[in-house]
Amino acid sequence: MVSLFRIKLSCLSAGSSQGTLTFFDAKKSNILTSDPVNVGFQATLGRAQSRGIEFELHRHLTDYLYFDLSYAVMDTKTVGEVINAEWGSLVPSGSRLVNVPRHQATAIFTTETMLARKASKFGVKARYIGSRLGDSVDPSYQLPAVTLFSVFMHIDLSDKLQAQLNIDNIFDKYYVHNSYNRLWTVPGEPVSARAAIRYQF
């Protein structure tokens, strides 16, 4: 079960900028975490609460170049102490949740142009993921913060046909995508490219 309280404030300026500030307080029950006895398995943790602030900004730097920025700071933790009868371990109230960063941000620069007389967009994206807890039983196991870069291209080949190309992690940086515990940590993808063609009927 999920309950959510959200306050959203928006600000519009004369044609060049748009910003949104959101305050949220969400609660969720029966979430999963790593089982401290049976390694590689999961168990329900009870209830958790997530409070934070999200900020989004869209700004036109020129007629054909614009900038998007989003930033979130979150405080996620368990609500109440939880004892599971099967594995007999206590998860204290206020414990952090696995794989949830306190800080994360995304910045995107996009330019619109013409390529072979076709309307096109090119851009670069930077994504920051803050440090995260990697094991709910061992708070000392932390996943390091990382900043990843990607580039993208979109071309309107016709009124109904579009082509898209994305190249992610362009610097081929090693990072940890997520973790269940010290013995089960999943690395992120190396540099990768994805292409797509979309036709609208």
Side-chain angles (χ1 to χ4, degrees), residues 48-151:
Q49 183 177 48
S50 178
R51 293 176 174 172
I53 300 173
E54 295 177 339
F55 172 73
E56 296 180 342
L57 173 68
H58 175 79
R59 179 172 177 80
H60 275 268
L61 303 177
T62 69
D63 290 340
Y64 304 102
L65 176 65
Y66 49 93
F67 171 68
D68 290 278
L69 173 67
S70 64
Y71 168 74
V73 55
M74 296 178 291
D75 179 21
T76 56
K77 58 187 178 182
T78 58
V79 178
E81 294 183 344
V82 180
I83 298 178
N84 189 297
E86 294 183 358
W87 29 276
S89 179
L90 174 68
V91 179
S93 178
S95 298
R96 292 178 57 195
L97 301 185
V98 175
N99 296 313
V100 181
R102 181 169 176 82
H103 301 275
Q104 54 184 340
T106 301
I108 306 174
F109 284 93
T110 306
T111 183
E112 297 179 348
T113 186
M114 299 295 292
L115 182 65
R117 297 183 179 181
K118 306 294 184 182
S120 307
K121 293 182 181 179
F122 299 87
V124 58
K125 175 180 177 181
R127 182 163 61 102
Y128 171 80
I129 304 171
S131 60
R132 297 155 286 156
L133 179 65
D135 191 328
S136 60
V137 182
D138 182 6
S140 67
Y141 185 53
Q142 299 286 322
L143 308 183
V146 63
T147 301
L148 302 172
F149 293 88
S150 60
V151 293

Side-chain angles (χ1 to χ4, degrees), residues 4 11 20 29 42 50 69 74 104 126 171 185-186 198 201:
L4 175 65
C11 178
T20 302
S29 59
Q42 293 182 317
S50 178
L69 173 67
M74 296 178 291
Q104 54 184 340
F171 298 116
T185 298
V186 181
R198 185 176 64 178
F201 293 94

Side-chain angles (χ1 to χ4, degrees), residues 167-188:
I167 303 178
D168 298 319
N169 194 8
I170 59 175
F171 298 116
D172 200 21
K173 188 170 185 177
Y174 175 82
Y175 68 101
V176 175
H177 182 267
N178 59 48
S179 172
Y180 294 105
N181 50 50
R182 285 184 179 272
L183 301 181
W184 193 338
T185 298
V186 181

Side-chain angles (χ1 to χ4, degrees), residues 19-39:
T20 302
L21 183 64
T22 303
F23 301 87
F24 63 89
D25 185 346
K27 292 183 179 179
K28 185 177 182 179
S29 59
N30 296 325
I31 63 174
L32 294 177
T33 186
S34 57
D35 189 327
V37 173
N38 302 302
V39 176

